[in-house]
Amino acid sequence: MRERYEPNEIESTVQDEWDAAGTFVAREDPAKPKYYCLCMFPYPSGRLHMGHVRNYTIGDVLARYMRMQGFNVLQPMGWDAFGLPAENAAIENGVAPARWTRDNIAHMKGQLKSLGFGIDWSREFATCDADYYRWNQWLFLRMLERGVAYKTTGVVNWDPVDQTVLANEQVIDGRGWRTGALIEKREIPMYYLRITRYADELLAALDALPDWPERVRTMQANWIGRSDGVNLSFPYDIDGVRGELKVFTTRADTIMGVTFVAAAAGHPLAELAATRSATVRAFVDECRRGSVMEADLATMEKKGVPTGLFVRHPLTGAEVEVWVGNYVLMAYGEGAVMGVPGHDERDFAFAKKYGLPILPVIDVDGRPYSTGEWQPWYAEYGRCVHSGPYDGLDYAGATNAIAKDLEAKGLGRKQVVWRLRDWGISRQRYWGCPIPIIHCPACGDVPVPDDQLPVRLPEDLVPDGSGNPLAKTPSFLDCRCPKCGAAARRETDTMDTFVDSSWYFFRFASAGNDRAMVDERAAYWMPVDQYIGGIEHAILHLLYSRFWTRVMRDCGLTKLDEPFQRLLTQGMVLNEIWFRKPASGRIVYFNPADVEAQGEGDARRGVLRSDGRPVEYGGIGTMSKSRRNGVDPQELVDRFGADTARLFAMSNVPPEHTFEWSDEGVEGAFRFMKRVWKIVHAHVEGGPAQAVDGASLDGPQRELRRQVHQTLLKVGDDIGRRRTFNTAIAAVMELLNSLTRFADDSPPGRSVMQEALDLVVLMLAPVVPHAAQAMWRALGHPSAIVDEGWPKADAAALVRDTIEIVVQVNGRLRARVPVPAGADEAVAREAALADPGVAKFVAGQPVRKLIYVPGKLVNVVV
RNA sequence: GCGAAAGUGGCGGAAUUGGCAGACGCGCCGGAUUUAGGUUCCGGUGGGGCAACCCGUGAGAGUUCGAGUCUCUCCUUUCGCACCA
């Protein structure tokens, strides 16, 4: 063993050994319990970022730990390879997305290997492989057959200059990111997946996922958003045009307070009004401007115009004016809402702004109401007032009575609605999975027959930012109708990349099968036992995967309802943001490494090293390319080695928390590696040690051994149950501090030391596998540490004769007293009251009460 | 705007089921060794008194023998909002 810790040399040697032995190639073995450990696969953006390192280190630690626990572990890796960045790179550099993507994959695969992750590379694939995406197409066709996939229109961001559809990310302050043109909403035909058919099941099944974080289940439940309410109609007869304006409300009890209705700009009545009024026309046109993003729509100023059209209140028959509101969305519910300014904050603001009447119709808990100022409790539940026949009824009573009356008139009924909307998967983009549809002038939209799959994406096209290059490529576009044989045109839209990531975990378990989407190997490995990925995916990706799995189930491809048994959502990796904002032009960001900074919080100031001039501090935020605040993990690995990078990524912070980057922390991790290395080296220099004889140890030896086995228990619990890798590492560091102080060269002392170091190295093996392997050999073990079992703590070593309990007087800490282990209340009480420090505060007062927490604490209440 | 989470020393964080606040690491201070170092080792380190004690977990209230932990209100930060992945 070398005296100096040389990580690069150790790591490449150990990695070569793993490769040669095929250590991480997983085989289906029904005789062993399986453990499928999966990290969210990366988008091949070019280089790994710190988020990847954190994610894959967590996965690798768990995979290696479970392997030590005797499980047959599968840890695969692949590439989420379709997507927008490849097209952007193409526009910038003129390189084909396929080429760019595959180059990036090659580079990032090398980076993953250098970090020493125990991945079964034999199962690797990229979602841009036709062998993979053909099954997207195949299942899409099954969904069409089952009515799960369907076609309708949807609204997109339209850049009128580039004549192209933009992603939300490409719209900045309502303008196209390349052209600066004002964005318009445009309605186009799209394919949808009917996820709402599964809304009920997706919501109910959240209760069957106890090993998912509570916060993720809550977010999903809110996203699916079941609302129990009433659907009601406002009939109208406008110059002989008869119809009903439909709205949905969860507050039918406030129906007598309706003073207006608001319709979306795309609503038929808005269109009708626009033909009659220039003001309405102008407003409807204005509503078409801007992006389709929910956050934009929700935060913009609420505006409206009256249409001069009136509908009738379904219960009173009173005339109610129709307004067009920019905050009402055609895509939600019925495209119109009833306005109750007395009991809805948004309606109140709208009514105040436009001078509409405000009618209070709910008496909340006897508190007085007024029409003057909004109070938050106006939206609370109470009893109906000024509501005619419903006066005095509570929410449930009023809702029932009103729904009954509406139903009798044929103007409404109770209804359950979901916030969840169907999943639009059509993208007007090149670098994605082609939607397998052929447009025939005679037969219409015809599905591509299974035996013609896959519809291959040509890989040599280079997008230029104006529209989809597939639409300009006759070799792709021109085809024959599968039904009638006539000349036809291929669909040029591709699928949302969330489709690709909704079932890749099944494919890892059926790798290479070119005849079926999944096979019996998936039945062995699935479900994923532990899934790990960023909290940013808490809703969409995870919900889509849960949906897709159910569709596969209904198609007979799996028996599972849920794909992921246990979920760990890691926090984001954050770094400081530094920028300059020129008087004109775009904001410019600078990497924190290039900024000389001082002060904290609001007082934080910095100057750019290169020019010495100030830059503005933008707080901390996620590492991102656009903000240029990323840290390249490769530099870490080159300088300190993979083990230090892994150790650093796991220490200091629990995995669910956001991780704030610090350069100094890395040094601490490296220092620890050197200390472990040194103490092992120093011990080995002293020659072989004998096995521990627990009975013949002196006090300090016994105490150290107790700490060793205590630490072993804690580390196992922290990794195996709590997933708090930071506290596991801290416990080993604490133990190492004790080992450093333990200078005992006697034969029993050396035995205790040998056992301690063996266990330290085993405990560290999942986190720093390369150094652990080298130290394991040095400690005299010929085996590969990756094949060792997780050690068991020696119960005899853990026994304690006396323990210390805390004594409080009136809840305040006053003393610590030793008592025999297992002392009962009487003994503890006597020991506590005998302590002079306690007696001083009791000071002869009668003890009113005494609380005893066995083995922990006595609280004397006087 | 809506949904979710977080806030504890100079900094990252620990405190697992309501029971010792500050484990571990970074930084800083002092000392030893080295004395050109990407060193290493030892000790100290929440604040105030510098003693016994008091104060202290974003702010304010509440429940409890006991609250960082539970409840309510507020503030700040981060994530998501359906075409970034």
Side-chain angles (χ1 to χ4, degrees):
Chain A
M1 184 176 188
R2 287 172 175 264
E3 196 166 352
R4 258 180 74 94
Y5 174 52
E6 307 273 12
N8 294 327
E9 197 178 309
I10 297 162
E11 287 169 8
S12 57
T13 306
V14 174
Q15 285 167 15
D16 288 347
E17 284 178 31
W18 292 335
D19 280 347
T23 302
F24 300 110
V25 177
R27 289 179 191 83
E28 294 74 22
D29 178 359
K32 277 174 93 179
K34 64 93 184 178
Y35 192 80
Y36 186 176
C37 182
L38 181 69
C39 295
M40 291 182 186
F41 65 167
Y43 177 79
S45 55
R47 307 174 72 81
L48 290 187
H49 55 65
M50 284 310 300
H52 292 131
V53 174
R54 194 179 188 201
N55 196 164
Y56 303 138
T57 303
I58 293 168
D60 199 45
V61 169
L62 286 172
R64 288 171 183 272
Y65 174 78
M66 293 310 283
R67 182 184 178 119
M68 291 177 86
Q69 293 286 352
F71 286 85
N72 186 24
V73 172
L74 168 61
Q75 190 180 211
M77 183 57 70
W79 308 93
D80 189 12
F82 278 135
L84 207 48
E87 298 199 27
N88 294 336
I91 293 167
E92 225 168 280
N93 309 317
V95 58
R99 170 75 191 280
W100 182 85
T101 301
R102 292 192 202 281
D103 285 352
N104 286 347
I105 288 174
H107 181 78
M108 290 169 76
K109 184 173 177 179
Q111 290 190 297
L112 288 175
K113 288 196 157 182
S114 77
L115 278 155
F117 299 131
I119 290 165
D120 178 358
W121 286 105
S122 72
R123 296 163 187 265
E124 176 192 8
F125 66 85
T127 56
C128 62
D129 297 343
D131 290 346
Y132 179 72
Y133 67 69
R134 70 176 295 175
W135 300 109
N136 288 354
Q137 298 172 342
W138 182 83
L139 198 74
F140 173 79
L141 295 174
R142 303 291 83 75
M143 291 191 194
L144 270 180
E145 290 162 5
R146 306 174 75 88
V148 174
Y150 65 98
K151 193 181 189 182
T152 182
T153 58
V155 185
V156 293
N157 303 305
W158 178 256
D159 184 324
V161 172
D162 262 351
Q163 293 282 298
T164 197
V165 176
L166 297 185
N168 284 337
E169 190 191 49
Q170 298 172 309
V171 180
I172 298 164
D173 296 332
R175 293 172 181 274
W177 67 344
R178 281 158 47 79
T179 63
L182 281 171
I183 294 307
E184 299 165 10
K185 299 183 186 71
R186 180 170 275 212
E187 216 166 285
I188 59 168
M190 305 213 298
Y191 283 95
Y192 283 83
L193 303 185
R194 212 181 295 276
I195 190 172
T196 51
R197 184 183 281 182
Y198 293 84
D200 227 332
E201 193 190 339
L202 288 167
L203 180 64
L206 288 171
D207 292 336
L209 294 171
D211 296 322
W212 279 38
E214 183 75 42
R215 64 190 283 211
V216 173
R217 286 185 288 153
T218 307
M219 281 193 272
Q220 290 220 348
N222 290 337
W223 184 264
I224 296 167
R226 183 190 160 108
S227 294
D228 290 276
V230 173
N231 200 335
L232 57 131
S233 300
F234 292 73
Y236 59 82
D237 179 347
I238 296 165
D239 302 337
V241 181
R242 291 182 173 207
E244 291 175 351
L245 180 140
K246 290 187 172 166
V247 304
F248 172 83
T249 179
T250 56
R251 290 302 304 270
D253 59 323
T254 66
I255 193 170
M256 303 308 265
V258 170
T259 59
F260 66 98
V261 292
H267 194 277
L269 282 185
E271 291 295 336
L272 176 64
T275 62
R276 302 172 164 213
S277 152
T279 320
V280 176
R281 172 88 275 156
F283 185 73
V284 166
D285 289 343
E286 188 190 321
C287 289
R288 277 197 218 293
R289 283 207 285 277
S291 82
V292 300
M293 280 172 74
E294 160 84 17
D296 286 350
L297 297 169
T299 50
M300 71 187 176
E301 192 192 349
K302 308 287 179 290
K303 287 199 260 184
V305 292
T307 61
L309 306 180
F310 290 83
V311 294
R312 293 204 171 274
H313 192 285
L315 295 177
T316 67
E319 287 206 319
V320 180
E321 183 161 24
V322 180
W323 285 62
V324 182
N326 65 351
Y327 62 95
V328 188
L329 299 177
M330 208 47 221
Y332 281 113
E334 306 288 348
V337 294
M338 66 181 203
V340 185
H343 302 283
D344 180 273
E345 185 171 10
R346 191 178 59 183
D347 293 347
F348 179 86
F350 194 81
K352 281 293 254 193
K353 183 169 180 176
Y354 294 110
L356 293 163
I358 299 164
L359 298 178
V361 291
I362 302 290
D363 179 16
V364 178
D365 205 13
R367 279 177 282 185
Y369 52 77
S370 79
T371 57
E373 288 303 320
W374 173 261
Q375 296 290 332
W377 50 263
Y378 284 5
E380 286 177 19
Y381 298 109
R383 290 188 180 276
C384 293
V385 290
H386 304 308
S387 298
Y390 312 111
D391 279 358
L393 294 177
D394 64 5
Y395 172 76
T399 303
N400 287 334
I402 286 165
K404 198 176 152 209
D405 290 350
L406 286 169
E407 200 155 358
K409 294 180 174 226
L411 290 175
R413 60 188 170 83
K414 281 195 176 177
Q415 199 191 352
V416 173
V417 301
W418 304 93
R419 209 188 76 95
L420 183 68
R421 308 201 296 264
D422 279 341
W423 175 14
I425 58 156
S426 293
R427 298 290 178 271
Q428 297 67 46
R429 270 188 271 287
Y430 159 58
W431 191 236
C433 168
I435 294 177
I437 294 288
I438 288 167
H439 302 289
C440 170
C443 309
D445 299 343
V446 182
V448 173
D450 287 358
D451 60 10
Q452 291 175 29
L453 296 181
V455 176
R456 282 182 191 275
L457 186 72
E459 296 209 344
D460 53 352
L461 305 186
V462 182
D464 61 5
S466 65
N468 184 346
L470 290 174
K472 307 168 197 166
T473 305
S475 58
F476 178 80
L477 209 52
D478 299 336
C479 60
R480 293 272 153 199
C481 171
K483 264 192 191 163
C484 70
R489 195 176 55 80
R490 212 174 269 293
E491 169 68 53
T492 58
D493 281 359
T494 53
M495 294 185 194
D496 181 4
T497 56
F498 273 122
V499 170
D500 308 322
S501 56
S502 287
W503 70 282
Y504 71 104
F505 33 88
F506 275 102
R507 193 62 185 173
F508 281 137
S510 303
N513 191 327
D514 58 2
R515 291 188 308 281
M517 187 174 185
V518 290
D519 56 40
E520 68 284 354
R521 289 172 294 163
Y524 174 78
W525 290 112
M526 286 293 290
V528 172
D529 293 278
Q530 175 72 65
Y531 196 35
I532 305 142
I535 183 66
E536 71 274 20
H537 294 293
I539 297 175
L540 291 178
H541 161 61
L542 292 169
L543 191 61
Y544 290 148
S545 298
R546 297 180 61 220
F547 159 67
W548 197 278
T549 299
R550 285 172 165 78
V551 174
M552 287 178 66
R553 175 201 64 194
D554 292 348
C555 291
L557 296 164
T558 178
K559 291 192 167 63
L560 297 172
D561 299 329
E562 293 289 342
F564 311 124
Q565 185 70 41
R566 183 166 179 170
L567 175 69
L568 192 157
T569 48
Q570 60 161 2
M572 308 289 290
V573 181
L574 310 182
N575 202 356
E576 294 186 331
I577 299 164
W578 294 93
F579 65 93
R580 280 181 186 152
K581 199 167 186 176
S584 64
R586 213 172 273 170
I587 191 164
V588 185
Y589 290 93
F590 300 96
N591 193 287
D594 301 328
V595 175
E596 188 81 55
Q598 50 188 308
E600 295 290 337
D602 290 343
R604 190 119 173 109
R605 299 282 180 273
V607 295
L608 193 65
R609 277 187 234 275
S610 59
D611 64 12
R613 297 195 358 256
V615 282
E616 281 186 68
Y617 180 57
I620 55 167
T622 50
M623 289 186 178
S624 76
K625 228 174 204 175
S626 59
R627 292 193 284 216
R628 299 186 59 187
N629 62 342
V631 172
D632 189 351
Q634 199 60 50
E635 284 174 32
L636 270 189
V637 175
D638 293 345
R639 213 168 132 195
F640 300 103
D643 283 333
T644 295
R646 295 166 58 115
L647 179 68
F648 174 59
M650 300 299 276
S651 46
N652 300 330
V653 190
E656 292 89 351
H657 283 206
T658 54
F659 183 105
E660 283 177 48
W661 177 259
S662 91
D663 289 320
E664 294 82 6
V666 186
E667 302 275 356
F670 188 54
R671 206 170 298 161
F672 175 74
M673 291 308 297
K674 286 189 287 189
R675 286 184 61 205
V676 184
W677 188 266
K678 207 158 94 176
I679 193 169
V680 168
H681 183 261
H683 172 77
V684 167
E685 292 270 282
Q690 299 203 319
V692 175
D693 174 12
S696 67
L697 302 179
D698 66 17
Q701 290 162 353
R702 220 195 328 260
E703 179 51 30
L704 183 77
R705 190 155 183 265
R706 199 191 58 73
Q707 193 192 347
V708 169
H709 286 265
Q710 193 71 56
T711 304
L712 178 57
L713 282 183
K714 176 166 175 57
V715 170
D717 188 48
D718 284 353
I719 297 177
R721 180 180 64 90
R722 298 176 66 209
R723 309 280 195 252
T724 52
F725 310 101
N726 57 322
T727 55
I729 291 165
V732 177
M733 286 179 167
E734 214 174 339
L735 176 59
L736 195 75
N737 288 341
S738 298
L739 294 183
T740 310
R741 282 190 286 267
F742 182 75
D744 182 347
D745 272 337
S746 70
R750 284 188 42 76
S751 301
V752 169
M753 192 58 146
Q754 173 79 32
E755 183 196 36
L757 292 175
D758 282 351
L759 291 175
V760 162
V761 169
L762 285 166
M763 284 188 269
L764 288 175
V767 184
V768 291
H770 313 88
Q773 173 63 72
M775 291 188 286
W776 185 244
R777 289 265 157 80
L779 285 164
H781 308 286
S783 62
I785 197 169
V786 70
D787 293 322
E788 286 295 316
W790 186 258
K792 297 216 172 354
D794 180 355
L798 293 166
V799 173
R800 259 179 155 165
D801 305 333
T802 58
I803 54 169
E804 196 173 63
I805 63 168
V806 165
V807 186
Q808 299 178 331
V809 179
N810 289 338
R812 305 188 66 110
L813 173 70
R814 295 303 179 192
R816 293 158 218 263
V817 297
V819 296
D824 63 9
E825 178 164 349
V827 175
R829 177 189 180 108
E830 194 182 336
L833 293 175
D835 187 273
V838 174
K840 190 168 84 184
F841 286 93
V842 173
Q845 300 168 82
V847 176
R848 283 205 296 133
K849 197 171 169 186
L850 189 135
I851 286 124
Y852 177 56
V853 182
K856 272 192 178 167
L857 164 143
V858 170
N859 188 13
V860 185
V861 185
V862 297

